[in-house]
Amino acid sequence: MPNQTTEVDSYLSVDPDSTIDPFLYWREEKRFPNLRKMALQLLAIPSTSSESERVFSVAGAVFSPKRMRLSLERLQDLTFCSINTKIYD
C-alpha cells in the first residue's frame, strides 16, 4: 500500500505566512479544497455573541407585561419582524 498524504498532512508541511489575512488566504487557496471549504465556513462564524444578545433584547421588548399571553410562534414571528425591519430600514 503506497504512503498516502492527506490534505491535512500536506497543509501542515507548508510554511505559514503569518502576515496574510486568514480569510484572504483561504479564499485564494486551491491546493486544499476540503480544508478550504471548512476554513471558509468556520471563518464566517461571528467571533462575538452580540447578534444573539440583540435577538434576546428584542424578544424581551416584544414579550412585555402587556403581552404575557403570546404564543411561542407569535413571539418568534414578532421578534423576527422587528429585527428584520430594523436591518432593512
Side-chain angles (χ1 to χ4, degrees), residues 1 5-6 13 17 20 28-29 32 36 39 45-46 49 55 58 62 67 71-72 77 79 81-83 86 88:
M1 176 178 241
T5 306
T6 65
S13 69
D17 180 3
I20 193 167
E28 303 299 323
E29 181 58 61
F32 315 111
R36 177 181 184 268
I45 298 171
S49 62
V55 171
V58 168
V62 169
R67 292 182 164 175
S71 67
L72 177 59
D77 291 344
T79 302
C81 289
S82 180
I83 290 170
K86 291 176 183 172
Y88 296 111

Side-chain angles (χ1 to χ4, degrees), residues 43-56:
L43 289 170
I45 298 171
S47 61
T48 66
S49 62
S50 62
E51 187 60 34
S52 61
E53 294 292 332
R54 245 179 253 118
V55 171
F56 279 108

